[in-house]
């Protein structure tokens, strides 16, 4: 298993100055990240201020929560890949279920966004996951694979290599009801299998698949110890520096334990 990846998705939380304070505190608590990749994804409005206070040793890198697929032009309210690159973003979240749920975004658009991210050498984190109703109807694998193949349509193996997948069951997001590590492991294995059959086994083995949905410092351990779980996409708990620092520490020690 390779390096784990821990991503903090701040969602629509923290002003630019609050974001600075959060990152200063996090940097005080997390002094090294030698064996884990840590991405902070503040709102667009806080990217510049967070960047100013990021430790210069690369302990944390910046990510954005979305992007538009065109590079520039008359697209009011949107933000493009070149704009994110200019602020030193390395990663960008694409396809979050809140985008599907509240803004009507769909797989076809996510596919274009993944393509735009890759074109600009931003690493896309494609989020996929079923709703509670779909989960209870036994449709989990079907939904997840449809979203996976829709979001990654016509990508080359090389492009998949630069992409991260995040399995985020909608029923687990912000509910305090995380999936079990066993549930996540099973879905992640299915995702990896489909990447292997659609592209190739080597790419499938290398691609990082994160779990997201009510991850906390208290429950992150078993996820991070699972074979097919390569990290976590953390919402609520990343807004609390103590909790996020603990999750990062768990990912670091687990990596060392497994290497
Ligand atoms: P919570 O950790 O708050 O459940 O959010 C998960 C999520 O949606 C991260 O993208």
């Amino acid at each position: 298993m390779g390096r784990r990846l821990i991503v903090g998705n701040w969602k629509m939380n923290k002003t630019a100055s609050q974001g600075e304070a959060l990152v200063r505190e996090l940097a005080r608590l997390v002094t090294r990240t030698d064996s884990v990749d840590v991405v902070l994804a503040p709102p667009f409005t806080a990217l510049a201020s967070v960047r100013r206070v990021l430790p210069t040793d690369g302990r944390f890198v910046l990510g954005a929560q979305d992007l538009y697929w065109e590079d520039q032009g008359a697209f009011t309210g949107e933000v493009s890949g070149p704009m994110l690159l200019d602020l030193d973003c390395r990663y960008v979240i694409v396809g979050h279920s809140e985008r599907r749920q509240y803004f009507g975004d769909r797989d076809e658009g996510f596919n274009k966004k993944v393509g735009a991210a890759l074109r600009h050498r931003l690493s896309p984190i494609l989020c996929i996951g079923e709703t509670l109703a779909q989960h209870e109807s036994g449709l989990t694998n079907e939904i997840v694979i449809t979203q996976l193949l829709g979001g990654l349509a016509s990508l080359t193996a090389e492009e998949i290599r630069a992409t991260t997948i995040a399995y985020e069951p909608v029923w687990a997001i912000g509910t305090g009801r995380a999936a079990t590590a066993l549930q996540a492991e099973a879905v992640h294995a299915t995702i990896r299998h489909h990447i292997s059959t659609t592209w190739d086994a080597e790419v499938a083995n290398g691609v990082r698949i994160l779990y997201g949905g009510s991850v906390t410092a208290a429950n992150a351990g078993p996820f991070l110890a699972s074979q097919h779980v390569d990290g976590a996409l953390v919402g609520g708990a990343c807004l609390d520096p103590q909790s996020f620092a603990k999750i990062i520490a768990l990912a670091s020690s687990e990596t060392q334990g497994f290497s």
Side-chain angles (χ1 to χ4, degrees), residues 7-9 11 93 96-98 127 166 168 172-176 212-216 233-238:
V7 183
N9 175 8
K11 307 194 178 181
I93 296 170
H96 195 280
S97 66
E98 287 148 17
C127 302
E168 295 208 305
I173 295 177
T175 58
S214 295
V215 173
T216 63
L233 180 49
V234 183
C238 82

Side-chain angles (χ1 to χ4, degrees), residues 33-74:
T33 57
D34 298 341
S35 58
V36 59
D37 292 326
V38 179
V39 178
L40 309 179
F44 294 135
T45 46
L47 283 170
S49 65
V50 165
R51 176 192 185 212
R52 269 198 303 277
V53 296
L54 275 187
T56 50
D57 60 7
R59 232 176 292 170
F60 316 128
V61 301
L62 272 183
Q65 297 176 20
D66 199 2
L67 84 169
Y68 191 58
W69 55 78
E70 296 289 348
D71 291 356
Q72 59 184 44

Side-chain angles (χ1 to χ4, degrees), residues 68-158:
Y68 191 58
W69 55 78
E70 296 289 348
D71 291 356
Q72 59 184 44
F75 303 102
T76 302
E78 295 297 315
V79 169
S80 72
M83 293 171 180
L84 298 178
L85 261 193
D86 186 54
L87 290 173
D88 287 339
C89 284
R90 307 279 172 77
Y91 291 81
V92 59
I93 296 170
V94 173
H96 195 280
S97 66
E98 287 148 17
R99 299 298 319 173
R100 295 179 194 272
Q101 200 176 339
Y102 303 124
F103 307 101
D105 293 2
R106 292 287 167 263
D107 290 331
E108 199 190 346
F110 296 149
N111 183 235
K112 291 188 193 168
K113 290 180 177 190
V114 167
L118 290 165
R119 201 166 67 234
H120 294 292
R121 305 216 174 280
L122 289 158
S123 181
I125 302 170
L126 177 71
C127 302
I128 56 181
E130 82 286 7
T131 63
L132 182 61
Q134 291 163 341
H135 180 71
E136 288 176 342
S137 310
L139 294 171
T140 299
N141 285 349
E142 193 176 315
I143 296 295
V144 161
I145 297 311
T146 302
Q147 292 177 352
L148 177 82
L149 299 181
L152 302 183
S154 55
L155 261 58
T156 64
E158 204 51 51

